[in-house]
Amino acid sequence: MNEHATSTQKPTPEAPLWLLAELTYRCPLQCSYCSNPLDFAATTNNELTTEEWVDVLRQARAMGAVQLGFSGGEPLVRRDLETLVGEARQLGFYSNLITSGLGLDEARIDTLHAAGLDHIQISLQASDPDVAEAVAGSRKAYDKKLAMARAVKAAGYPMVLNVVLHRHNIDQLDAIIALCAELDADAVELANCQLYGWAHLNRNGLLPSREQLETAEATTVRWRERLSREGRDMQLLFVVPDYYADRPKACMGGWGSIFMSVAPDGAVLPCHSARMLPMSFPNARDDSLEWIWYDSDAFNRYRGEDWMPSPCRDCDERHQDFGGCRCQAYLLTGDPTATDPVCEFSPHHHLIESARREASEDKRKAAQLTPRNVHESRVFCRA
Ligand code: SF4
Ligand code: FES
C-alpha cells in the first residue's frame, strides 16, 4: 500500500460493477473517430503482462465487479486473450469482447467460446466499402467484418453490432440498418460519435448537421416499426450526440460510481478518456485496485457533490446526471470542474453552439480526416 493522500469528506462508494480491460491500444485500423488518447503510442512497449492482467481481474472480481469488457485498440492483437477469457470465466465474470472483428477467424471464435467468452460486439463503419475505407483506413476490413459477423452468429453468440455514426455515414443509415438485419444482429447500437481523443481532434469533420440527425432518428423509428411488423427481434438503440442534447449524459453513471477502466500500461481510470485530464492517475502495478477505488485522490476527486460548481450544486437534476462529463468539460473549457457545456444551464453552453456552427462550415471529406495512427501519436507523446 502507498502513501498517497486520501480524501476524508466523500461518501463511501459502492464496489465497482464494471471493469473495462483496455488490453492494448494497438490496432490494425486507423479510425478517425477513435476515442483512444492522442498519445496512445506511449504505452505500446509498456503493456501489462498476462500475469499482471490476471492479477487485475482477480482483484476486481474480489471487490465485487461482475461485468468485464475486453477492449482496446483491438484486443484480439493480444495473443493471451484466450488465457484472460479463461481466467474471467473461472472467476465468474460476464465477459464481453469489443472488437473490430480484425484478427478473428472461425478457429479463434471457437477457442474464445471454449475459454468461456460470453458475448461479442463487432463494430461496423458503414454499409458502403468506400466510406468504410475512408474512415477506418482499410479496404479489406469491410469484407472481413461482414464475414466475422456471420461467423460469430453461426457460433451461437448473441451479436451486438456497433455502428459509430458521424457526418460521413449517417446519411446511409437506412442501408446500414438493412445490412445489420441481413446479418441477423440481435441488437444494433447506432452510437453517434463521442467526441474524445482522435474524434475530438477531428470534431469539425465528424459532427453531423441537425438535419442529418433528425433524418437519422426518423429512419430509426421507421425501422423499429418495420421490424416490429415483421416480428423481428432486432433491437435498435439510437444514441443522440452530446452536441445536440440540452442535458449532459450521466457519464459513467457518475465518477467512480460503478465503472473502472484499466489502460494497457496499468493506469487505472474512472473512464477510458480520463488520462488526458490535468491530474495523475494511479497504476495497478503500484497500488491495489481496492486502494485506488476507495482511497485514491483520482477516484475521489469528483465523487459526491462537494466539487460541483454553480449552477449544478443547486440544480435538482444533479442526482441524475452528476453535472455531466468531466472529460467533456475539460476538453471544451480547459476546466475539469466546469459544468458540462452540453447543459443548457451551463455558462459555457455557447461553446457547444459555436462548435456546431464551426462544424457546419467545415467541408472536409472522410478521407481528409486525421487517421488515428502511431506516427501522429508520437508527435502528441512529445508535446
Ligand atoms: Fe445537470 Fe448541472 Fe445542468 Fe443541472 S446544471 S442539468 S446538474 S449539468
Ligand atoms: Fe471521462 Fe465522461 S468520458 S468523465
Side-chain angles (χ1 to χ4, degrees):
M1 196 58 68
N2 67 57
E3 298 172 344
H4 295 278
T6 61
S7 169
T8 52
Q9 297 167 350
K10 304 284 177 183
T12 306
E14 302 286 327
L17 291 177
W18 248 97
L19 174 68
L20 184 69
E22 292 193 297
L23 298 182
T24 179
Y25 287 140
R26 289 174 286 149
C27 182
L29 295 181
Q30 302 192 316
C31 302
S32 43
Y33 60 71
C34 182
S35 63
N36 279 171
L38 295 173
D39 61 352
F40 72 84
T43 67
T44 307
N45 297 318
N46 191 24
E47 291 179 1
L48 295 186
T49 62
T50 309
E51 294 68 34
E52 287 171 325
W53 273 116
V54 166
D55 186 42
V56 164
L57 301 188
R58 287 181 183 164
Q59 288 188 57
R61 185 73 188 102
M63 289 170 69
V66 289
Q67 294 265 358
L68 171 62
F70 290 111
S71 88
E74 174 47 70
L76 288 160
V77 169
R78 291 277 303 219
R79 301 313 299 180
D80 56 358
L81 179 61
E82 284 78 352
T83 306
L84 300 176
V85 167
E87 182 68 26
R89 166 49 66 103
Q90 272 201 338
L91 290 167
F93 273 112
Y94 182 87
S95 61
N96 182 20
L97 176 65
I98 300 157
T99 175
S100 67
L102 272 75
L104 207 56
D105 54 28
E106 279 83 356
R108 211 155 179 210
I109 292 172
D110 286 348
T111 52
L112 287 167
H113 198 262
L117 183 68
D118 292 298
H119 194 272
I120 299 182
Q121 175 184 309
I122 296 185
S123 60
L124 289 185
Q125 270 90 23
S127 59
D128 156 354
D130 292 334
V131 174
E133 180 188 9
V135 172
S138 163
R139 171 128 292 252
K140 289 189 197 141
Y142 178 79
D143 291 336
K144 174 81 179 167
K145 280 168 176 284
L146 298 197
M148 284 308 101
R150 291 191 176 99
V152 163
K153 197 68 200 177
Y157 274 109
M159 184 172 65
V160 175
L161 293 175
N162 173 276
V163 188
V164 175
L165 296 177
H166 45 77
R167 179 194 302 184
H168 304 285
N169 67 358
I170 197 166
D171 295 333
Q172 299 181 343
L173 189 57
D174 192 53
I176 289 172
I177 300 175
L179 176 63
C180 295
E182 186 212 314
L183 291 168
D184 201 18
D186 296 282
V188 184
E189 277 182 14
L190 303 166
N192 275 281
C193 188
Q194 299 277 335
L195 297 167
Y196 303 99
W198 293 80
H200 188 257
L201 187 71
N202 286 308
R203 181 179 77 180
N204 284 354
L206 289 171
L207 202 58
S209 67
R210 189 179 289 280
E211 198 184 11
Q212 283 183 302
L213 185 66
E214 286 170 357
T215 305
E217 286 187 288
T219 302
T220 307
V221 170
R222 234 184 9 261
W223 264 98
R224 283 195 189 116
E225 288 164 359
R226 174 174 163 182
L227 291 165
S228 151
R229 263 197 322 274
E230 293 174 359
R232 295 277 306 269
D233 200 17
M234 184 174 89
Q235 287 175 37
L236 293 180
L237 179 72
F238 190 87
V239 183
V240 177
D242 291 353
Y243 282 51
Y244 286 97
D246 53 17
R247 293 289 191 282
K249 59 184 178 276
C251 199
M252 303 294 136
W255 181 274
S257 286
I258 52 174
F259 184 87
M260 175 161 54
S261 176
V262 179
D265 59 353
V268 186
L269 309 166
C271 72
H272 59 288
S273 296
R275 66 189 305 152
M276 53 85 189
L277 293 174
M279 56 192 284
S280 55
F281 288 95
N283 194 293
R285 284 183 168 130
D286 306 322
D287 297 305
S288 72
L289 293 191
E290 188 164 334
W291 179 85
I292 291 170
W293 179 260
Y294 289 104
D295 295 321
S296 69
D297 169 63
F299 271 74
N300 278 296
R301 194 171 294 191
Y302 303 116
R303 274 188 180 134
E305 296 172 3
D306 291 354
W307 62 273
M308 283 185 181
S310 172
C312 296
R313 79 160 63 103
D314 304 311
C315 177
D316 290 344
E317 297 183 37
R318 67 188 185 281
H319 308 301
Q320 280 116 60
D321 65 29
F322 316 107
C325 173
R326 295 306 88 224
C327 297
Q328 192 141 265
Y330 176 67
L331 279 170
L332 287 161
T333 72
D335 175 5
T337 68
T339 296
D340 187 334
V342 166
C343 179
E344 66 177 335
F345 305 134
S346 161
H348 304 290
H349 189 60
H350 63 94
L351 295 171
I352 293 284
E353 290 161 352
S354 56
R356 287 199 302 252
R357 250 194 328 274
E358 251 178 59
S360 71
E361 286 157 14
D362 192 318
K363 301 296 175 214
R364 262 183 288 173
K365 300 200 179 327
Q368 295 165 329
L369 300 171
T370 304
R372 169 210 194 270
N373 68 76
V374 169
H375 306 294
E376 291 270 343
S377 178
R378 295 216 166 99
V379 175
F380 290 109
C381 293
R382 288 194 291 273

